[in-house]
Amino acid sequence: MTKLFEHAVETVRNLPPETQDALARIVLQLARENDLPPIAMSVEDEASFEETLAEAERGDFVSDEAIRAFWAKHG
């Protein structure tokens, strides 16, 4: 294991268990270990996702001006 990966593992050890599991799934997916079951979405996440899809279907997008203002402030 490389020193960088060891450092990453040590850093992840200090994160909450659910975050560790999410990161572990990403690493395994990147390593082509694809036999993991999909991550179930919470009821709140599903509702948020459905609302986002509905907004996109309605064409409710942030204006270019709002995006420029955001990046001017945070960029």
Side-chain angles (χ1 to χ4, degrees), residues 50-63:
E50 292 299 323
E51 177 57 27
T52 300
L53 288 178
E55 289 172 352
E57 288 175 5
R58 291 191 304 267
D60 292 343
F61 297 105
V62 176
S63 69

Side-chain angles (χ1 to χ4, degrees):
M1 185 180 308
T2 69
K3 292 202 182 282
L4 179 59
F5 198 77
E6 286 178 8
H7 177 68
V9 170
E10 285 304 312
T11 301
V12 169
R13 285 185 204 276
N14 297 318
L15 299 173
E18 60 275 0
T19 304
Q20 290 182 30
D21 285 348
L23 292 169
R25 286 179 178 278
I26 292 168
V27 169
L28 290 170
Q29 186 176 23
L30 291 171
R32 309 261 187 244
E33 186 77 27
N34 294 327
D35 60 347
L36 294 172
I39 299 171
M41 292 176 72
S42 69
V43 173
E44 295 82 13
D45 288 341
E46 284 187 43
S48 175
F49 185 73
E50 292 299 323
E51 177 57 27
T52 300
L53 288 178
E55 289 172 352
E57 288 175 5
R58 291 191 304 267
D60 292 343
F61 297 105
V62 176
S63 69
D64 290 343
E65 181 179 306
I67 295 294
R68 279 192 290 277
F70 172 84
W71 286 115
K73 181 177 181 180
H74 300 287

